[in-house]
Amino acid sequence: MALLIAPSILSADFAHLADEAAAVAGADWLHVDVMDNHFVPNLTLGLPVVKSLLEATDIPLDCHLMIDDPDRWAVAYAEAGAYNVTVHAEAVADPVTMAVELRAAGAKAGLSLKPGTDLEDWVEVLPHYDTLLIMTVEPGFGGQSFMPEMMDKVSRARRMVETGHLNVVVQVDGGIDLETIERAAEAGADCFVAGSGVYGMTDRAGAVAALRAKASAHARRPQPSSA
Ligand code: DX5
Ligand code: ZN
């Protein structure tokens, strides 16, 4: 699978989201951070904004729900047309039913692990999921420093994929920039979320291309030359 670059609109200008989506031409997914001020100490946006964004862009939306009670709220994002809907392991009550419902609603199902959450505790439910989001910062805010100590978790997930024990996209989120993306790619991530690493730059599309080039150069597996 080719590497995926997912700019996070958390660092975009919220008054011009349609333009900000258009500015990341070449991005694979557009990462949308939904925060409820309960699961994390920050409040962002919800379903109405996601619905408007779906109208405004053709880039598949990758919705990262940092909310309490995702069992109640997540499926609506899938039904609205989000491409991937990620819930947090620490918040979901019934992870298997959650994944089944997300897939039934037409989305890919994602499971996210906070830095302190062990991968091994979730291996049994992960066969129901399509994407595994390994947080490389504490969720809640953009612009934080990448946690290199999470690379061991990424490597373990990659090994499970390589050995056929898991079939998930291994996604990293938090502090990804032109420097840190090398380490995440070497550890075996194949989807890279970047907020300030894209929207903190004047040339957003250039930032996406540069991140892709860096990740491809350091990827664990050979990448197609056209990627
Ligand atoms: C943080 C969010 C991230 C955030 C990353 O809780 O999940 O998606 O946008 O921002 P950067 O790339 O600036 O760390
Ligand atoms: Zn995120």
Side-chain angles (χ1 to χ4, degrees), residues 60-139:
L61 295 194
D62 173 33
C63 293
H64 176 195
L65 306 188
M66 285 160 276
I67 60 172
D68 280 348
D69 203 5
D71 306 70
R72 174 173 174 194
W73 301 108
V75 171
Y77 290 81
E79 288 170 347
Y83 181 77
N84 181 58
V85 179
T86 290
V87 298
H88 264 270
E90 306 82 7
V92 67
D94 184 348
V96 173
T97 302
M98 182 81 269
V100 168
E101 288 181 355
L102 288 171
R103 285 173 164 180
K108 299 209 176 297
L111 190 71
S112 180
L113 308 181
K114 288 167 68 169
T117 302
D118 280 341
L119 171 63
E120 285 67 25
D121 290 343
W122 295 92
V123 165
E124 271 182 33
V125 305
L126 276 168
H128 297 274
Y129 282 85
D130 304 291
T131 65
L132 167 64
L133 174 49
I134 295 176
M135 291 302 302
T136 44
V137 298
E138 287 297 338

